[in-house]
Amino acid sequence: MTLRLYDTRTAQVRDFQPLEPGKVSLYYCGATVQGNPHVGHVRSAVAFDILIRWLEASGYDVLSVRNVTDIDDKILEKSSASFAEDFQPSPDYPAQEPWFALAYRFEQAFHQAYDALGVLRPRYEPRATGHITEMHALIQRLVDSGHAYPATDGSGDVYFDVRSWAAYGELTRQNLEQMQDAPDADPRGKRDPRDFALWKGHKSGEPETAAWDSPWGPGRPGWHLECSAMATKYLGEDFDIHGGGLDLRFPHHENELAQSAAAGHGFAQFWLHNGMVTFEGEKMSKSLGNTISPEEMLAEARPKAVRYFLGQAHYRSQLVYKPGSLQEAEAALERIEQFIARAHPDSTVDSRQGVPPAFQQAMDDDLNVPAALAVLHETVRAGNTALDNEDDDAAQALGSQAAEMLRILGISEVPEPQTAGGPGDAALGQLVEKMLSSRAEAKAAKDFARADAIRDQLASAGVHIEDTPQGTQWSVKSGG
RNA sequence: GGUGGGGUGGCCGAGUGGUGAGGCAGCGGCCUGCAAAGCCGUUAACGCGGGUUCGAUUCCCGUCCCCACCUCCA
């Protein structure tokens, strides 16, 4: 069975055939680095990370590219606000900061969040500001072919002429005539209100550092242009997959497609979009204030559990977060991990050969992770049964499969938060061992009241204990 | 107004024209001094109204509701 993926443009699940056998070229939209990452960013990153890992497990060489939008209106606004007289410092924006410093700082915050969740770094991670030359070439090409024009109001803007491109709207199957005009659309020097900026002329008051010379006057790139320019540079005029959040379909991806296609490029064969994360069903957004940040999630549960949670729904589905979600993920994950630890799996092969056919089928079916997880849980149950029956060979085989599934989903690849190593650890260990030996003595003396009191005492301190045939095991329960 | 996607058991969340995933939570049992972990069993769902069909949660029509996008957004 081959991989099938849902393509937004054709609105159907299709067989995935890469342009070049054995290789996959993938571009997915990263963040505009104007603030700290929120859960939606990392959900998207996890979704495409799972895609990449599955492609690699299936034997493909994946050339992945994720952009960093490090120049845009919001970045300039946030920076400019930090220099305003009424500036109120906040944790995210603590001090006066030039736009490029602000962008750089948040770019690093994004890396931290991605790394903490085991998201593989893309092969290339180009910044918009590093590709002005490529953007100019693309604009010129569009101007020359009659699909773009300099603004008629002398602003220095250059717009894409949507009416010059008959296919405009094809990605989201929208009819230009029936689109709702943006209520705050600024017609400026546009031929049509829906024309979008390829290049934004420099305005007085904006920092000089945010302006680049161009044939149309000094200015800075429009948002959509960078992705077209960079995807083409790193992946070619035709490539396999373009991804991003559902909210990017329009206008961002629609415009990307229009400008690239109008420039004569084939562009992406497949358009993939991940669903939104909601807070109890409502869209999370800063303006609504119902957000939970990746940082807050990581404070509440182990990184692996956070990753499990973010990946557990189908990537195209809405992912509902609610208080308790992370604890549920933690419980499910612990069951898997405990089985694997008891099964002593072989060193696993990192490929689709190491997982059950049902798991392969689920993943091949447009990355049906929920169904794949069902296979994983069934494997765990079968493995536990084997352990109970002391069938160690079967348990080990199932353990290897479970470990491999966890690895392909990227969950076991999430780095453990560093907790060990401090001098406190040794002290804690000694104290716990001391109490456990007291408890063992009490148990031996059949003084169960005292034994249970010790267990309760440890529990109230967050130390969880478990009597096993190999003796009493203990662990510190993380989070709430 | 346009476009896309939804409404599944207490919660999360797949899927299918006929024997109704999986997880979390709950209940009963085994195990345990009691627990924990694990195993076994178990409770429980397909928005509403029609239609097609031997049979629909799955297809069709209607209807209600929800979400996203059409403005910066993963």
Side-chain angles (χ1 to χ4, degrees):
Chain A
M1 180 172 175
T2 54
L3 176 61
R4 293 168 61 75
L5 293 172
Y6 181 87
D7 169 39
T8 299
R9 176 155 58 167
T10 51
Q12 58 183 354
V13 178
R14 297 194 282 126
D15 284 353
F16 175 71
Q17 277 306 338
L19 293 166
E20 209 180 320
K23 294 186 176 182
V24 175
S25 44
L26 166 71
Y27 184 97
Y28 70 107
C29 284
T32 298
V33 284
Q34 48 118 356
N36 274 315
H38 67 245
V39 177
H41 291 115
V42 292
R43 193 260 172 119
S44 183
V46 166
F48 288 102
D49 191 57
I50 290 172
L51 169 63
I52 290 170
R53 288 175 185 274
W54 182 239
L55 286 168
E56 288 181 342
S58 300
Y60 290 108
D61 176 27
V62 181
L63 173 52
S64 57
V65 179
R66 182 181 60 207
N67 65 297
V68 176
T69 301
D70 61 344
I71 177 73
D72 100 312
D73 292 354
K74 284 255 164 87
I75 293 170
L76 292 173
E77 276 170 29
K78 295 266 161 63
S79 165
S80 149
S82 78
F83 290 98
E85 273 183 27
D86 60 350
F87 173 59
Q88 298 288 333
S90 64
D92 284 4
Y93 305 96
Q96 293 188 342
E97 201 171 26
W99 67 270
F100 49 85
L102 185 148
Y104 197 84
R105 181 164 63 86
F106 286 124
E107 183 182 328
Q108 291 183 313
F110 271 88
H111 274 148
Q112 233 168 38
Y114 293 145
D115 290 350
L117 293 169
V119 174
L120 294 166
R121 295 267 177 124
R123 187 130 1 137
Y124 302 119
E125 201 169 3
R127 299 188 183 110
T129 53
H131 298 78
I132 304 290
T133 308
E134 288 83 351
M135 297 186 210
H136 286 169
L138 183 54
I139 296 173
Q140 189 60 254
R141 196 170 169 136
L142 291 169
V143 170
D144 291 347
S145 57
H147 295 298
Y149 61 94
T152 54
D153 62 357
S155 61
D157 290 354
V158 181
Y159 299 117
F160 183 86
D161 186 346
V162 295
R163 296 203 175 274
S164 78
W165 188 246
Y168 189 76
E170 64 174 318
L171 180 66
T172 52
R173 37 198 78 224
Q174 297 190 89
N175 184 323
L176 202 53
E177 306 308 327
Q178 300 193 117
M179 280 186 204
Q180 211 169 53
D181 284 354
D184 58 344
D186 176 5
R188 290 173 294 199
K190 291 183 180 178
R191 293 177 185 168
D192 185 284
R194 300 165 197 82
D195 288 351
F196 57 90
L198 302 170
W199 187 252
K200 295 183 171 188
H202 181 254
K203 293 172 189 60
S204 65
E206 289 182 355
E208 296 298 325
T209 50
W212 288 260
D213 285 334
S214 87
W216 310 276
R220 57 191 166 87
W223 175 36
H224 317 298
L225 189 66
E226 64 181 74
C227 288
S228 285
M230 298 194 294
T232 303
K233 172 174 179 177
Y234 294 96
L235 301 176
E237 295 180 3
D238 296 87
F239 57 95
D240 294 311
I241 300 171
H242 189 124
L246 205 50
D247 51 352
L248 293 182
R249 280 180 312 174
F250 194 95
H252 185 51
H253 288 165
E254 188 72 72
N255 291 351
E256 266 184 64
L257 175 58
Q259 69 204 179
S260 284
H265 302 161
F267 218 56
Q269 308 303 305
F270 278 79
W271 290 83
L272 269 54
H273 292 98
N274 64 273
M276 301 290 99
V277 183
T278 65
F279 193 103
E280 293 180 339
E282 280 201 35
K283 184 184 177 182
M284 268 191 209
S285 73
K286 269 183 190 162
S287 54
L288 290 176
N290 61 347
T291 60
I292 173 167
S293 67
E295 204 178 357
E296 287 166 323
M297 284 189 166
L298 291 167
E300 197 182 312
R302 294 151 65 218
K304 284 184 167 76
V306 175
R307 164 112 188 184
Y308 182 98
F309 166 72
L310 291 172
Q312 70 177 350
H314 184 98
Y315 77 93
R316 285 196 282 128
S317 298
Q318 166 180 287
L319 174 65
V320 178
Y321 171 82
K322 56 177 53 185
S325 293
L326 295 175
Q327 283 67 40
E328 283 187 15
E330 185 84 65
L333 180 57
E334 271 178 20
R335 182 158 173 275
I336 298 167
E337 290 178 329
Q338 280 179 20
F339 161 63
I340 293 174
R342 294 199 296 153
H344 302 105
D346 282 333
S347 61
T348 55
V349 280
D350 197 6
S351 88
R352 60 154 56 209
Q353 311 313 334
V355 300
F359 184 92
Q360 297 178 30
Q361 281 160 22
M363 293 299 282
D364 277 341
D365 181 16
D366 194 30
L367 300 176
N368 191 336
V369 173
L373 282 173
V375 176
L376 173 52
H377 282 110
E378 279 159 5
T379 302
V380 169
R381 180 184 306 136
N384 274 320
T385 302
L387 283 172
D388 280 6
N389 296 336
E390 297 183 347
D391 184 350
D392 290 344
D393 289 349
Q396 187 180 50
L398 292 164
S400 300
Q401 291 192 335
E404 187 52 31
M405 289 185 262
L406 214 49
R407 192 216 290 256
I408 283 175
L409 294 172
I411 294 167
S412 52
E413 304 297 279
V414 176
E416 290 290 351
Q418 49 115 228
T419 52
D425 276 9
L428 175 67
Q430 279 193 21
L431 291 169
V432 171
E433 292 299 340
K434 181 106 182 154
M435 289 179 77
L436 287 181
S437 65
S438 298
R439 176 167 171 272
E441 283 169 24
K443 278 177 69 176
K446 305 272 187 214
D447 184 356
F448 295 120
R450 191 165 141 248
D452 291 350
I454 293 172
R455 182 169 63 198
D456 292 346
Q457 217 176 347
L458 285 165
S460 68
V463 176
H464 171 82
I465 68 173
E466 208 175 297
D467 294 328
T468 76
Q470 288 77 40
T472 301
Q473 310 283 325
W474 65 276
S475 60
V476 181
K477 282 280 179 187
S478 65

